Amino acid sequence: AVCSMGNSTGRLYSVLAKTLSSGAVSQHQDCLEQLDSAQLDPIDPKDLLEECQIVLQKRPPRFQRNFVNLKKNTASNHRPIRVMQWNILAQALGEGKDNFVQCPMEALKWEERKCLILEEILAYKPDILCLQEVDHYFDTFEPLLSRLGYQCTFFPKPWSPCLDVEHNNGPDGCAMFFLKERFELVNSANIRLTAMKLKTNQVAIAQTLKCHETGRLFCIAVTHLKARTGWERFRSAQGCDLLQNLKNITQGAKIPLIVCGDFNAEPTEEVYREFSNSSLNLNSAYKLLSPDGQSEPPYTTWKIRPSGECRHTLDYIWYSQHALNVNSALGLLTEEQIGPNRLPSFNYPSDHLSLVCDFSFNQDPDRLL
């Protein structure tokens, strides 16, 4: 159980190879409140990666993805800020509700799937990690990532669909992690999104961080908007509410902003246009991978359900284009890599692809505003 994590062990099996038995999140919290993350032994990322690879030795190797250099001739003496966005697929939904008809149930086993997720995170070493559909925060991500040096925040959905699944692990929600050695937390806001003046089941986290190296402030936000066809106006209203909150937090774009999320919206939707045309002067980082810099990728999620095959672009990393530069972005998996059974699979743990970008501060942030 998680409460045994405080002892000093050279190996990580007590943390990695076991998860809490099913139960309410409050039980996880009660257990973890007895532990101060700062008092737990730090983990060497290489050791954790080795543990993951031992668990995954019967699975195919992780897909190779390469970063695309997007840097213009702008000199910067500072290390870029690597941001990772990922809907990791809630375990309860993957096993109990999502009906991935081409994905064997064995591929969804949490004991192994969590290692695929951790392997992906460890491979790209983000300074900031933004996740959606996290339902194993208290027994997996918070204990492990805090010991890797991250400060961790979780905001569950009020009426998570995970709770409808038998033997669930508590509600899913958004989670944010940042490296304490690189940033200082200045302000944090948990936002329950509204639509038509009604509180909804969708949430966001927005944190203002100070970069130790540059002394610059910036805001990072993570969200997950309402899913499904027919809810376009609802998503639009949620997006407007989030933008208004972010305008207040960033003092009308005076503080640079990065917004990560599964928007559940194609680029043709109104909520996408709202973010594109916002007074916050946001651009979508993954557009920069296209030849003209104006087109989103052809897909960020690809799955097969009983109703048919679904290939959509729903995930985005938005950024203040007047204040931040995108130095590079991680290329997406090809159709050949994904394979005919699509996602998730024995190779890849989620139905959504991770997005990773390296950002640097513009030297003259007010010039283009």
Side-chain angles (χ1 to χ4, degrees), residues 40-329:
L40 295 175
D41 294 336
I43 297 173
D44 186 326
K46 292 178 183 175
D47 289 343
L48 181 56
L49 183 59
E50 183 183 322
E51 292 289 342
C52 289
Q53 289 168 344
I54 290 169
V55 174
L56 296 171
Q57 56 191 337
K58 293 183 180 178
R59 292 213 179 196
R62 194 174 56 82
F63 292 123
Q64 180 65 39
R65 296 169 67 185
N66 298 313
F67 280 90
V68 179
N69 185 11
L70 301 167
K71 195 170 183 179
K72 299 169 187 171
N73 297 323
T74 52
S76 175
N77 301 321
H78 302 294
R79 243 193 326 157
I81 297 169
R82 176 162 291 182
V83 176
M84 184 172 187
Q85 146 62 29
W86 200 11
N87 178 331
I88 60 171
L89 175 61
Q91 184 64 21
L93 301 183
E95 287 187 309
K97 280 201 164 194
D98 278 345
N99 295 317
F100 301 117
V101 292
Q102 297 294 98
C103 178
M105 284 301 290
E106 192 180 348
L108 295 171
K109 283 170 51 180
W110 179 242
E111 296 303 318
E112 295 180 10
R113 197 172 76 85
K114 71 179 177 186
C115 292
L116 277 178
I117 295 169
L118 290 166
E119 187 182 45
E120 182 102 342
I121 294 167
L122 291 164
Y124 301 124
K125 303 172 186 167
D127 300 305
I128 303 171
L129 173 63
C130 294
L131 302 180
Q132 300 87 37
E133 290 201 23
V134 179
D135 62 346
H136 275 273
Y137 176 81
F138 293 105
D139 64 334
T140 301
F141 294 104
E142 194 277 342
L144 285 173
L145 291 175
S146 64
R147 295 173 70 184
L148 289 169
Y150 289 91
Q151 184 156 329
C152 314
T153 305
F154 176 60
F155 191 23
K157 295 174 183 173
W159 315 300
S160 166
C162 292
L163 299 176
D164 297 334
V165 179
E166 194 175 1
H167 307 305
N168 68 76
N169 200 62
D172 76 302
C174 292
M176 186 183 293
F177 310 84
F178 67 83
L179 284 176
K180 291 185 283 187
E181 69 172 20
R182 293 213 65 188
F183 311 108
E184 173 190 342
L185 180 62
V186 176
N187 180 59
S188 184
N190 286 355
I191 303 164
R192 186 171 168 189
L193 298 176
T194 64
M196 298 76 150
K197 299 185 179 179
L198 297 173
K199 289 184 177 180
T200 73
N201 193 35
Q202 279 65 47
V203 299
I205 303 168
Q207 296 190 329
T208 303
L209 305 180
K210 183 178 181 180
C211 180
H212 291 316
E213 194 177 0
T214 63
R216 299 280 293 271
L217 292 178
F218 67 101
C219 177
I220 177 85
V222 57
T223 195
H224 188 187
L225 301 188
K226 173 67 182 170
R228 304 197 191 287
T229 304
W231 291 86
E232 291 81 5
R233 287 186 62 202
F234 198 80
R235 280 191 287 274
S236 174
Q238 288 181 328
C240 285
D241 183 50
L242 179 57
L243 284 168
Q244 187 56 55
N245 276 280
L246 295 174
K247 285 174 190 174
N248 295 336
I249 291 168
T250 62
Q251 302 165 28
K254 287 183 181 176
I255 298 172
L257 173 64
I258 300 169
V259 186
C260 296
D262 174 359
F263 279 60
N264 275 307
E266 292 272 13
T268 51
E269 270 198 38
E270 182 63 32
V271 68
Y272 182 94
R273 291 193 291 274
E274 285 160 0
F275 270 72
S276 295
N277 300 326
S278 164
S279 61
L280 293 172
N281 196 24
L282 299 173
N283 192 22
S284 175
Y286 264 71
K287 280 167 54 175
L288 302 179
L289 287 180
S290 65
D292 61 358
Q294 299 298 315
S295 306
E296 292 289 353
Y299 50 84
T300 62
T301 179
W302 202 339
K303 53 206 159 199
I304 301 174
R305 284 178 166 152
S307 56
E309 194 162 344
C310 310
R311 191 185 89 152
H312 299 293
T313 300
L314 307 177
D315 308 271
Y316 306 96
I317 300 178
W318 299 91
Y319 69 101
S320 301
Q321 55 188 336
H322 59 285
L324 296 165
N325 299 309
V326 184
N327 297 0
S328 61

